[in-house]
Amino acid sequence: MPAFVNLHNCLLVALTAHLMMTAVISVFARHKVEYLSLAWIVGIFSAVILGTLIFETTIANSNPGLLHPAMLLTLTATIFLQSIYPLSITMPGFLQWGRSMRYALPAVILFAIYGLMLLVGHRPIQVRSLADISDNLFTSDLLLRFAMLGLSIYYIVNIFRLPRVMLRNPDTPHYLFGYAFALGLSLCIYIWLTIDYSIGHLCCWTLIFTAVNAYLCFRTLETIAIGLPLPEIIEEAEQQQIENIQDLQRQEEDDFNEANHHRFELMEQWMQHNKSAWTDFKFGRDQLCTATGINRHLMLQSVRSQGYYDIHEYISRHRIAEVQRMIRCGRATCVQDCLDAGFASTKTLRSSFEKFTGKNLDNYLRQQQKP
């Protein structure tokens, strides 16, 4: 069998990735309960993949045919588990167990019925062609399979509807829209797999399934990283004298980190005492370099040493802090007023505010204006 369709290798990749994601998300879930559901879901997938790895020889040598119940049961369970995390974010409380269980109730009933049938000695009908389907169309086995397939399609339609549902909550992370779309496409591929089964298709879907879950995991970690603390912006009463560049060069030879920290302090002092300059939307990196006498390379090193991604983010965070001050002081009562902090458009302002504070600007304005 070619390496790219080797089931053992694909399952090992999927298991390793899901175990890593489970471990990382579980650590964050200890501090923020909102990640607990994702940790459990990825952990369940890890256990399922481990079980699949144990029976890989049987799976590799099997030929389940069309719409095998094991494939359909796996499809329905996977759809529910993958969709419950973005659904839980749009609900008013954490996970809303009652609502989630009502959503899962049809699948639970079908699973229970099929389990009872197996306990009483029922064996699935082997369906190899469309003729086999027509010959056994009204048997309980085929009817249950069509019910599971129909329920799976219903869940997939709901997944494609998730972006519209999530728009009702303005605080929903934007990456969930891409996740919902990729999730729906991957499950459509799985339905194709239940009809036209092959080891190659199963391996490809396993890798796609892992990639979709990894996307959700790493984007979740990205939102955590954005929320990491940065140096507090403190206003100073007097501006200190900027030392000449030779002093900074000598200091850099003695202690590179201390030189970066000192440059950052000089930039902070200039930003505190020249607000009228950077509240002009035309002000940018080049103007800051010229004003402070620090070249781009050294300035980038300085801001990154303090946790900023680049100089543009550094300036934008000062502007967002100014927006918050304007709103708290009553100098800004609408989004248009906030443009005076140095943003060229309301679109840029809204996206930057949400990125750096994790809050919706319009909601923040309404909250601050309440008596």
Side-chain angles (χ1 to χ4, degrees):
M1 183 181 296
F4 68 91
V5 293
N6 189 295
L7 182 62
H8 179 75
N9 292 339
C10 290
L11 289 174
L12 281 179
V13 169
L15 179 61
T16 304
H18 281 84
L19 286 175
M20 179 199 68
M21 291 185 281
T22 303
V24 174
I25 296 296
S26 297
V27 171
F28 286 104
R30 294 181 61 188
H31 304 282
K32 296 193 73 173
V33 72
E34 64 187 273
Y35 301 118
L36 184 60
S37 62
L38 181 59
W40 270 103
I41 291 166
V42 180
I44 291 171
F45 286 143
S46 300
V48 172
I49 295 170
L50 179 60
T52 306
L53 195 60
I54 295 172
F55 298 101
E56 64 168 313
T57 305
T58 304
I59 295 172
N61 296 326
S62 64
N63 184 12
L66 298 175
L67 302 176
H68 193 276
M71 300 282 290
L72 292 173
L73 289 169
T74 303
L75 171 65
T76 306
T78 300
I79 292 174
F80 177 77
L81 288 172
Q82 284 188 294
S83 64
I84 195 63
Y85 179 69
L87 278 174
S88 70
I89 290 179
T90 62
M91 296 178 190
F94 172 69
L95 260 189
Q96 292 288 344
W97 285 104
R99 184 175 174 182
S100 300
M101 289 308 298
R102 286 195 299 272
Y103 187 63
L105 187 59
V108 173
I109 292 173
L110 285 175
F111 282 28
I113 293 174
Y114 216 92
L116 289 173
M117 290 175 62
L118 292 176
L119 286 175
V120 297
H122 171 78
R123 290 294 174 264
I125 300 170
Q126 290 295 322
V127 179
R128 302 296 180 188
S129 64
L130 294 178
D132 293 336
I133 293 178
S134 61
D135 292 341
N136 302 280
L137 186 59
F138 296 104
T139 60
S140 59
D141 189 11
L142 263 293
L143 290 175
L144 278 173
R145 293 191 202 187
F146 283 123
M148 282 188 284
L149 181 61
L151 181 61
S152 299
I153 292 173
Y154 167 73
Y155 281 159
I156 290 175
V157 170
N158 283 344
I159 286 172
F160 279 117
R161 291 177 60 245
L162 272 176
R164 187 167 64 88
V165 175
M166 289 188 291
L167 282 174
R168 299 172 188 170
N169 186 350
D171 295 326
T172 301
H174 291 299
Y175 64 81
L176 285 177
F177 299 107
Y179 169 74
F181 182 74
L183 175 58
L185 288 181
S186 71
L187 294 170
C188 289
I189 294 172
Y190 191 91
I191 288 183
W192 173 41
L193 180 62
T194 63
I195 299 171
D196 183 20
Y197 177 84
S198 73
I199 287 295
H201 293 159
L202 179 60
C203 291
C204 290
W205 179 80
T206 302
L207 295 177
I208 293 171
F209 169 77
T210 303
V212 170
N213 288 332
Y215 171 80
L216 176 62
C217 176
F218 288 118
R219 289 308 300 266
T220 302
L221 295 180
E222 182 184 16
T223 60
I224 297 171
I226 289 174
L228 292 176
L230 288 168
E232 185 179 356
I233 298 175
I234 302 174
E235 296 189 15
E236 298 182 3
E238 297 181 359
Q239 183 175 4
Q240 299 178 12
Q241 183 67 31
I242 296 180
E243 301 177 21
N244 62 48
I245 207 70
Q246 287 81 11
D247 291 338
L248 278 175
Q249 288 174 346
R250 284 195 297 270
Q251 189 177 16
E252 184 171 354
E253 292 175 0
D254 296 334
D255 190 335
F256 178 74
N257 292 328
E258 183 62 28
N260 275 332
H261 181 68
H262 189 62
R263 289 192 196 94
F264 185 79
E265 286 182 338
L266 297 181
M267 291 164 54
E268 281 287 276
Q269 293 168 20
W270 189 91
M271 293 290 286
Q272 293 293 341
H273 296 279
N274 295 272
K275 188 180 295 183
S276 59
W278 54 262
T279 50
D280 181 355
F281 71 90
K282 297 178 183 177
F283 183 90
R285 175 193 60 191
D286 294 339
Q287 289 80 358
L288 182 59
C289 292
T290 301
T292 58
I294 304 172
N295 66 47
R296 293 184 190 178
H297 177 67
L298 294 176
M299 183 174 288
L300 182 61
Q301 286 182 351
S302 299
V303 296
R304 285 185 170 173
S305 71
Q306 301 302 312
Y308 295 94
Y309 180 74
D310 56 20
I311 303 169
H312 175 72
E313 180 187 332
Y314 171 73
I315 297 171
S316 295
R317 284 189 181 271
H318 269 276
R319 286 170 172 164
I320 292 299
E322 177 63 14
V323 167
Q324 292 177 303
R325 281 194 293 268
M326 291 167 63
I327 294 174
R328 287 195 297 267
C329 297
R331 290 193 291 121
T333 57
C334 64
V335 176
Q336 199 67 29
D337 294 342
C338 298
L339 292 178
D340 292 340
F343 290 96
S345 67
T346 56
K347 181 179 179 181
T348 305
L349 169 60
R350 283 191 172 96
S351 62
S352 298
F353 191 89
E354 185 170 350
K355 177 182 177 182
F356 297 139
T357 67
K359 301 174 183 176
N360 180 274
L361 177 57
D362 298 275
N363 290 346
Y364 184 81
L365 276 165
R366 284 193 292 269
Q367 291 169 2
Q368 293 297 319
Q369 289 170 5
K370 288 181 180 179

